[in-house]
Amino acid sequence: MSASQQVIIVGAGHAGGSAAALLRQHGWKGGITLIGAEPQLPYQRPPLSKTWLKGEETGEALQLRSARFYKDNGITVHLSTAVDGIDRKARTAATSRGEKLSYDYLILATGSRNRPLPVRGAQLNGVLELRSAADADCLQAALQPGTKLAVVGGGFIGLEVAASARALGAEATVIEREERLLPRVVCAELSSYFAQRHHEAGVELMLGATVVGVEGCAGRVVAIMLADGRRLPCDVALVGIGAVADDRLAQAAGLACDNGVAVDLEARSSDDRIFAIGDCSRRPLPFYNAEFRLESVPNALEQANQAARAICSKPAPAPEVPWFWSDQYDIRLQIAGLPFGSVRIAIRGSPDSGKFAVFHQAEDDRIVAVEAVNMPQAMAIGKLLIAKGKAVSSEQLADEAFPLKDLAR
Ligand code: FAD
């Protein structure tokens, strides 16, 4: 590697910011230019629906690294700047400021975009979404004691916002199209547990309810209309119905994409000078013999490391078991693995005690995923066992008297 070589990172979010730091950590001596469309230095999004929204964190608490860090490490940062196009032949990236920057390697870290609510009235004032710090500030300002909040979508972001809204004294109703909460991401037992806890906290749940329109008055939302004719009055609505990969640049540049930029275990795209990391990529999952698009901080960090190592000509890191967390009320949910090939579950602890874990097992007794509620040890050992691919007995998993750490030996 020569000091004149240039890496351009497109997207200054969790993955992009981390890749810049990891390149230096792995010994990259050339230039690093980090280009981000948002006005802030790379920051963490998880608090936006949790502590930040509740006002428990303020100021620079979200920031991943200080401005000083980028300066000290020779990382050039262009904020409020978008990359509009990539010329793969000339190896240049065109920015919204009219510049054309040359690269030897380019890392796409453009994240994901919220799926828009495809109904009439979705553009009215007071219909909000949550992805950026600016969105969170807007939502926070709208959530006053007594505000009627309608949350469209009972996924992680919607439920975290409902929990935070209750803490702020707002009234919250969650509308979910499927018959249970978190339908695509947790098992039915967990869905029931979260429904119970939200109910106890005073959140109204409307399950099996499809939104068909948003009613407005003087340009502002006043109600959500449901397919069965019901009308839910509200002061503000938060749409949280999932996200799609922001792979538009990659598609326009002719890279292989399929619900995200297709990459290998070095985060390398179909062009060996271009890498894609974080929410915008679709990656192999070695423990599952599958490809998948993940939306999580641990994934953004893992792929940032893969790309940085590959660019610095270091061997690929050992693959990690995917994991994720969500905080709602006093519940810390941690999920490791994915329930691909799950044929049975073993439950350790009990939902009534507020501490339990659901282990998902394959036909051959291997653990493929664990969902742990306030049980960090079950999550940690489950994650280890997924990586080991070791068969374990369901009875021992479910038996609280049997030490889990004995299974990991
Ligand atoms: P992002 O962090 O989204 O960054 C992408 C950046 O690229 C953005 O700043 C975008 O503006 C910029 N960009 C896009 N296109 C361009 C362009 N053409 N030019 C320049 N810049 C561009 N994960 C967890 O593991 N646990 C949680 O509890 C959790 N909670 C979350 C709560 C919320 C409210 C949200 C929104 C996400 C949460 N996540 C959580 C997911 C996690 O934050 C993401 O998986 C992670 O941020 C992905 O990092 P990324 O860098 O791929 O994308």
Side-chain angles (χ1 to χ4, degrees), residues 193-214:
Y193 178 72
F194 278 97
Q196 178 67 26
R197 293 300 307 270
H198 279 279
H199 177 70
E200 285 165 10
V203 174
E204 197 187 327
L205 301 176
M206 298 174 113
L207 302 177
T210 301
V211 173
V212 290
V214 181

Side-chain angles (χ1 to χ4, degrees), residues 118-326:
V119 301
R120 220 162 72 194
Q123 310 303 326
L124 288 164
N125 288 333
V127 180
L128 306 178
E129 59 169 1
L130 181 55
R131 175 124 321 252
S132 65
D135 295 337
D137 290 345
C138 204
L139 179 60
Q140 194 187 46
L143 293 177
Q144 303 298 324
T147 301
K148 284 191 175 62
L149 168 72
V151 175
V152 181
F156 282 122
I157 291 181
L159 292 184
E160 289 174 357
V161 168
S164 298
R166 292 300 293 143
L168 291 167
E171 292 174 25
T173 302
V174 175
I175 305 163
E176 167 55 51
R177 189 178 56 187
E178 305 300 324
E179 294 298 335
R180 64 183 181 95
L181 296 177
L182 300 165
R184 289 183 308 272
V185 281
V186 302
C187 65
E189 285 72 8
L190 260 284
S191 294
S192 305
Y193 178 72
F194 278 97
Q196 178 67 26
R197 293 300 307 270
H198 279 279
H199 177 70
E200 285 165 10
V203 174
E204 197 187 327
L205 301 176
M206 298 174 113
L207 302 177
T210 301
V211 173
V212 290
V214 181
E215 187 186 314
C217 180
R220 202 183 156 81
V221 58
V222 292
I224 301 290
M225 310 304 296
L226 301 180
D228 61 8
R230 279 182 293 173
R231 176 182 179 276
L232 174 72
C234 65
D235 305 310
V236 56
L238 186 270
V239 178
I241 54 171
V244 291
D246 196 339
D247 56 6
R248 290 171 296 182
L249 268 182
Q251 285 193 34
L255 297 176
C257 295
D258 174 14
N259 179 27
V261 190
V263 295
D264 63 16
L265 278 176
E266 293 194 309
R268 207 183 288 268
S269 75
S270 53
D271 177 332
D272 64 3
R273 294 288 179 147
I274 301 183
F275 294 76
I277 61 177
D279 285 15
C280 73
S281 72
R282 182 181 168 87
R283 53 162 293 171
L285 291 176
F287 297 109
Y288 300 90
N289 201 18
E291 290 186 350
F292 209 65
R293 191 173 79 77
L294 297 169
E295 285 174 21
S296 75
V297 165
N299 174 62
L301 296 175
E302 183 189 9
Q303 289 190 292
N305 192 33
Q306 290 171 351
R309 289 184 70 93
I311 290 171
C312 295
S313 306
K314 295 203 166 171
E320 292 170 23
V321 173
W323 70 277
F324 180 84
W325 78 92
S326 173

Side-chain angles (χ1 to χ4, degrees), residues 7-25 28 31-38 40-45 64-65 69-70 73 75-79 106-112 267 275-281 296-308 311:
V7 178
I8 292 181
I9 304 172
V10 185
H14 220 123
S18 305
L22 284 159
L23 277 164
R24 285 287 179 247
Q25 206 171 303
W28 179 254
I32 302 174
T33 304
L34 180 59
I35 305 173
E38 291 185 74
Q40 296 96 338
L41 286 171
Y43 63 89
Q44 34 174 344
R45 294 179 203 277
L64 286 170
R65 291 171 189 84
F69 173 87
Y70 300 96
N73 284 279
I75 298 165
T76 306
V77 185
H78 295 307
L79 298 177
L106 183 133
I107 302 178
L108 288 167
T110 46
S112 49
F275 294 76
I277 61 177
D279 285 15
C280 73
S281 72
S296 75
V297 165
N299 174 62
L301 296 175
E302 183 189 9
Q303 289 190 292
N305 192 33
Q306 290 171 351
I311 290 171

Side-chain angles (χ1 to χ4, degrees), residues 316-371:
E320 292 170 23
V321 173
W323 70 277
F324 180 84
W325 78 92
S326 173
D327 295 328
Q328 297 165 43
Y329 312 111
D330 59 352
I331 311 167
R332 165 145 286 207
L333 169 69
Q334 293 169 302
I335 302 178
L338 294 153
F340 295 167
S342 164
V343 295
R344 75 181 78 86
I345 58 168
I347 302 181
R348 189 176 183 90
S350 83
D352 292 343
S353 71
K355 283 184 185 181
F356 66 105
V358 180
F359 292 91
H360 293 255
Q361 293 184 278
E363 194 70 69
D364 58 6
D365 283 342
R366 278 178 306 111
I367 298 174
V368 287
V370 55
E371 297 161 320

